[in-house]
Amino acid sequence: MNETKMLEVYLSASELLQAAAVWLASDGRILGVNTLFSKELGYSQEALKGKSIFQINPHINLMDWKKIWKSLEATGSSDIESDHITADGKLYPIKMTAVMVDIGEEKVCIGIVKNLLELTRYKDMLELVTSMTKIGSYELDLVADELITTKEFYRVLEMDEATQPLSRECFRALIKAQISPDELSNLDEITDTAIRDGVPVETEFAVIGKNGIDKHLRFYVYPLTKEGVTYKIYGAIQDITQQKATAQPLELTKYLIDNASEMIYWVKEDGRIRYSNQAFFSRMGYTEEEITQLHIVDLVPDVLEIGWDNVFALIKENKTLVLERNKQCKDGSLFPAQVFANFVEFHGDAFICKYVRDLSEIRQAESELRRAFDEISALKGRLELENSYLQSEIEVEYNFNNIVTTSESYKSVLQQVHKVANTDATVLITGETGTGKELLARAIHSNSNRGKRQMIKVNCAALPENLIESELFGHEKGAFTGAIQRKPGRFELAHRSTIFLDEIGEMPLELQTKLLRVLQEGEFERVGGSETLHCDVRVIAATNRNLEQMVQEGKFRQDLYYRISVFPIHNIPLRERKEDIALLIRHFVKKFSIKTGKNIDKIPRRAFEILEEYSFPGNIRELENIIERSVILSHQDVLNFDAIPFKAKEKIHLEGNGNGHFKSLEEIQREHILNALKKTQGRVSGPAGAARLLGLNDKTLFSKMAKLGIHE
């Protein structure tokens, strides 16, 4: 029960008294009166509650009241004779018996007022009050060695009331059985000290009650002196057992909260700090006194924007809330904190009790862990991508280390490769499909300063237009449907390496602008991202199309064409290096014999003759596929050339078709693709498809068929 509630109980009880009663604070304020007191003065009870003792007693000022209060603290009770003034200004004499009462941690005075103009009795009333407050009073006349007490004095000590005044020694003998020798010695000592020095003292001691349980008592001694000699002492003895029982766990609780390692503080409804334990005000850089002068916004700046009233209402509604907020220290520094906020109502007041956990070390550890994880993830991701890319390259089985030739015309091409390899110049490789443009690109890369890193390849014709930008530059998570995580693009993977843009002539116009920016500035953004990324990449491009004609037709940007054709290399078709056909046949027979586990060391002369007469519109890739098919169909050590789906008359007649019409390259390609589809019964992809027969990627063949108007 709090002080206010206890006072209300006492006020209610004082209404039962047959005398005027007033409750006073240490500063003279009237805390409450009973009905008889208000009637005597002619005021209402509420009107008197707002006044002070000085307004109804013209003879007492603040200094006088302080002396009276000091006497009450020493003795527990005191008699005061004076005058009161009524509401209409009339004086009447009174005698007030004042008794000090402990209400929780507060002390108040109850005054039983006797109007000396009337014959009233107040002894029973005083006894009632002292009984309620468990205070017994005494007077010890040192000259007469006579002890006079109230009835409550004996009740507090649980002793039978004496029928006549006792001497000091008789009293000691009575309580000796209830008090330990040490406590009795201490009681004697403080009494002797008060008598000797003439100063008030108080102490606490324990006695053994009738039920065998210790009782805790508070003993007051107030000496009266004359000419430096103490001749009488007044005092009181109060039963504080219940207070002790209540106070001990409260003291322990307060000690634990004050010294807890977790930070704890309370905020009042108006946002003011009501309490802070040592851990909190020390971490915040304040003293205990300073922090209780602050408002919540001084400690949590973002509350100013949200509004404390809104925060308080939210916590009140939810009763408890876990928040993460930055706390602001006295020096202005901030630290992240996890706050457990609880709404508490205590004796009519509302508080937010907060338990604070400093997250600085946790956040730092998380940041370091996240940074390490990001680095590991980035390295792992890059390794997986490079490994995946390398695996895909291995699966396609490109022979970038095996350039086989005896042709003088092709050696001139290789001389250009050798000259440009050690530079960072952008290279454009042109030539028909299947001539080995990628093989030349890999030779340039492997002989350059970037050769230790993996060359990254992009087939611009094989990618759908809506995905080629993402493939080149990467995308952020959520950039488009299906983008479930961030993905680095090929330019990111090719940082400090080489990127090979195959079939660059198939790149959409709108993407050519972004590619030009990368070539000029070395920077780009991922799809769906705003961060500008930088890369150091050497670009090698390849095409089988006439880019100059495409520029004139508006299908290819002129500025991009000039940018990629810094060092153009034209890769000659196989029909212009016929001296290499026999060499390539032997090379491919050996390669696929090892692959299939066969030992083919004999090649029919007719195979050389027929193939050397063939014009190879599919170039080296077509020758490679013909030999692979032959090896697969061979059962002994002789190449089974008869099983090759190939006819010598199926030559490409560059001179025309007999009627004087010279076929265009597109006509030749269309005718050749149709023948391949006929042989594969219309199948485009797969091991037995036309793409495999022509030595083309499935997607590349589909793209060419669409351009040439060939439908499945």
Side-chain angles (χ1 to χ4, degrees), residues 254-400:
K254 186 177 186 305
Y255 177 83
L256 293 174
I257 294 174
D258 287 343
N259 296 278
S261 58
E262 293 290 340
M263 295 178 279
I264 303 170
Y265 72 106
W266 303 341
V267 188
K268 296 191 290 186
E269 189 170 1
D270 62 3
R272 295 287 172 185
I273 308 303
R274 171 66 176 82
Y275 165 81
S276 163
N277 72 347
Q278 184 174 351
F280 185 69
F281 67 71
S282 298
R283 178 64 179 89
M284 302 301 292
Y286 292 96
T287 64
E288 186 175 5
E289 293 74 20
E290 287 174 335
I291 204 160
T292 53
Q293 303 301 315
L294 300 179
H295 193 275
I296 186 65
V297 297
D298 298 320
L299 305 177
V300 190
D302 54 0
V303 168
L304 186 61
E305 182 179 349
I306 304 171
W308 169 246
D309 291 342
N310 296 327
V311 175
F312 188 89
L314 181 63
I315 300 173
K316 181 178 180 180
E317 179 182 352
N318 291 276
K319 301 303 180 185
T320 183
L321 212 59
V322 180
L323 310 165
E324 286 198 11
R325 289 284 186 270
N326 284 328
K327 295 291 183 183
Q328 180 170 285
C329 300
K330 184 178 180 180
D331 61 5
S333 62
L334 299 172
F335 69 89
Q338 185 180 46
V339 181
F340 298 85
N342 298 279
F343 176 76
V344 178
E345 284 187 293
F346 184 71
H347 299 323
D349 293 324
F351 296 94
I352 302 298
C353 181
K354 297 192 174 188
Y355 301 86
V356 182
R357 185 182 183 192
D358 189 346
L359 300 178
S360 299
E361 293 183 1
I362 295 175
R363 288 288 179 268
Q364 183 179 354
E366 287 177 349
S367 177
E368 292 175 358
L369 186 61
R370 194 179 300 111
R371 185 163 52 250
F373 180 76
D374 288 344
E375 290 177 3
I376 293 170
S377 296
L379 291 172
K380 180 183 177 184
R382 185 181 180 91
L383 183 61
E384 287 177 348
L385 286 168
E386 288 183 353
N387 183 56
S388 175
Y389 183 81
L390 184 57
Q391 285 295 111
S392 67
E393 295 298 294
I394 292 171
E395 288 171 2
V396 181
E397 296 180 355
Y398 285 101
N399 299 318
F400 53 72

Side-chain angles (χ1 to χ4, degrees), residues 400-416:
F400 53 72
N401 285 327
N402 297 305
I403 298 179
V404 179
T405 185
T406 59
S407 170
E408 292 299 324
S409 57
Y410 196 70
K411 286 181 180 178
S412 65
V413 174
L414 296 182
Q415 287 175 359
Q416 295 180 70

Side-chain angles (χ1 to χ4, degrees), residues 615 649-658 661-663 668:
S615 296
K649 62 180 181 179
E650 292 179 343
K651 299 179 182 178
I652 296 180
H653 299 286
L654 297 177
E655 67 278 4
N657 60 2
H661 173 66
F662 191 85
K663 291 184 179 181
I668 295 171

Side-chain angles (χ1 to χ4, degrees), residues 149-165:
T149 67
T150 62
K151 292 181 180 179
E152 189 65 22
F153 183 87
Y154 291 100
R155 282 198 289 267
V156 168
L157 290 170
E158 296 185 356
M159 295 169 57
D160 295 331
E161 185 179 351
T163 56
Q164 59 185 7

